[in-house]
Amino acid sequence: MTRTRTGAFYLTGAALAVLFLLPMLWTVFSSVRGREAASGGDGWGLANYQRLLAYGSGLGTYLTNTVVVAVVAVSVTVVTTTLGGYAMVRLPFPGRNVLFLVTLAVLMVPYTTILVPLYILLGWLGLQNSLVGLGLVLAVLQLPFGLFMMRNSFDALPAELEEAALVDGCTITGALRRVLLRGVLPGIVTVALFSFLAAWNEFVAPLIFLTDGSKFTLPVALFNLQSGSLGSVDFGALQAGVVVSALPCVAVFLVLQRYYVRGFTSGALKG
């Protein structure tokens, strides 16, 4: 690569970085300006965050609700798609390829079309207006993509690894737990990361399935804050809420990014 091309490469990268980071920096900047600054005045401080903490049932309640929903969704998605991906590759049951294609076809269906059946199903299970029920719904929405990722992750592993473990005396469960899970760890982390981001930022499903204001997740609480009262909108507190909502996603991504990259480069996209 010539020096001119190298310079153009870094210049383009820097321009894209500024393009993506500028809205985030503007949001952080707006969140620490005082209320008077919203009307054109000056002022800095944490007043926006203080009003956000005191909003509704309290910021801590909304954060806790969102964490509970995300934990349920990630746990159910990871366990079911890991076992399902293993079964799709290692267990030669009839019709597994057809079943996999049907699962992929679900990705083409807008998830809003199945919200009503899911609402009725939660009523039968006694889980309406429940954080656990909402977590299960969000897990269901992530199952097709998760199963796709885990099937390809297991398919990328040599069958000799499992055969060697079985020869050494492991059971199928033991070989899966002691040998195969290490090989598909990047795929598991990728599924968990996508499931977490989807559950954390989901808005429509919590708005439909939760009716108790004290059980609202953070996106729904921010929407109510954005709606305001008597036509007034607290933009400062809203920007503070956006920053608080984004921080966990950024932190989780930075911690897991090396597994995430490996998940896409070690055969997770093998079709």
Side-chain angles (χ1 to χ4, degrees), residues 21-34 43-46 48-49 235-236 238-244 246-247 250:
L21 289 177
L22 194 58
M24 301 180 191
L25 294 176
W26 183 85
T27 301
V28 175
F29 173 78
S30 300
S31 70
V32 293
R33 298 186 72 188
W44 300 87
L46 299 177
N48 294 328
Y49 289 91
F235 288 103
L238 183 61
Q239 296 294 342
V242 172
V243 173
V244 172
L247 283 178
V250 174

Side-chain angles (χ1 to χ4, degrees), residues 91-111:
L91 303 181
F93 59 89
R96 61 176 180 174
N97 291 330
V98 175
L99 180 61
F100 180 64
L101 291 176
V102 171
T103 304
L104 290 185
V106 176
L107 287 171
M108 306 177 196
V109 179
Y111 83 93

Side-chain angles (χ1 to χ4, degrees), residues 9-23:
F9 174 79
Y10 283 110
L11 185 61
T12 303
L16 290 175
V18 172
L19 183 65
F20 282 101
L21 289 177
L22 194 58

Side-chain angles (χ1 to χ4, degrees), residues 205-226:
L207 187 65
I208 294 175
F209 292 107
L210 299 176
T211 56
D212 187 350
S214 64
K215 294 182 180 180
F216 282 168
T217 58
L218 197 54
V220 179
L222 292 181
F223 173 76
N224 291 335
L225 180 62
Q226 182 183 12

Side-chain angles (χ1 to χ4, degrees), residues 166-179:
L166 295 176
V167 169
D168 288 340
C170 285
T171 62
I172 294 179
T173 305
L176 172 64
R177 180 168 54 86
R178 297 178 182 178
V179 179

Side-chain angles (χ1 to χ4, degrees), residues 13-230:
L16 290 175
V18 172
L19 183 65
F20 282 101
L21 289 177
L22 194 58
M24 301 180 191
L25 294 176
W26 183 85
T27 301
V28 175
F29 173 78
S30 300
S31 70
V32 293
R33 298 186 72 188
R35 169 172 278 183
E36 63 277 8
S39 58
D42 296 326
W44 300 87
L46 299 177
N48 294 328
Y49 289 91
Q50 292 172 351
R51 295 197 303 281
L52 179 66
L53 284 171
Y55 174 74
S57 300
L59 179 62
T61 301
Y62 300 131
L63 279 174
T64 302
N65 295 341
T66 312
V67 169
V68 171
V69 171
V71 168
V72 172
V74 171
S75 301
V76 174
T77 302
V78 167
V79 172
T80 54
T81 58
T82 300
L83 296 177
Y86 173 81
M88 287 283 183
V89 176
R90 304 298 185 191
L91 303 181
F93 59 89
R96 61 176 180 174
N97 291 330
V98 175
L99 180 61
F100 180 64
L101 291 176
V102 171
T103 304
L104 290 185
V106 176
L107 287 171
M108 306 177 196
V109 179
Y111 83 93
T112 51
T113 60
I114 62 173
L115 289 181
V116 173
L118 288 174
Y119 185 85
I120 297 173
L121 182 60
L122 287 184
W124 290 346
L125 298 175
L127 292 175
Q128 283 185 350
N129 193 31
S130 164
L131 296 176
V132 174
L134 176 60
L136 293 176
V137 168
L138 298 180
V140 168
L141 300 179
Q142 292 299 313
L143 287 182
F145 171 76
L147 186 61
F148 171 77
M149 290 291 299
M150 293 313 302
R151 177 187 181 274
N152 291 335
S153 295
F154 278 108
D155 197 30
L157 289 181
E160 290 77 9
L161 283 177
E162 185 177 11
E163 294 171 359
L166 295 176
V167 169
D168 288 340
C170 285
T171 62
I172 294 179
T173 305
L176 172 64
R177 180 168 54 86
R178 297 178 182 178
V179 179
L180 298 183
L181 286 184
R182 295 182 181 179
V184 299
L185 182 59
I188 294 175
V189 173
T190 302
V191 172
L193 182 59
F194 270 82
S195 179
F196 172 79
L197 295 178
W200 188 269
N201 296 312
E202 177 60 29
F203 169 71
V204 176
L207 187 65
I208 294 175
F209 292 107
L210 299 176
T211 56
D212 187 350
S214 64
K215 294 182 180 180
F216 282 168
T217 58
L218 197 54
V220 179
L222 292 181
F223 173 76
N224 291 335
L225 180 62
Q226 182 183 12
S227 300
S229 59
L230 301 177

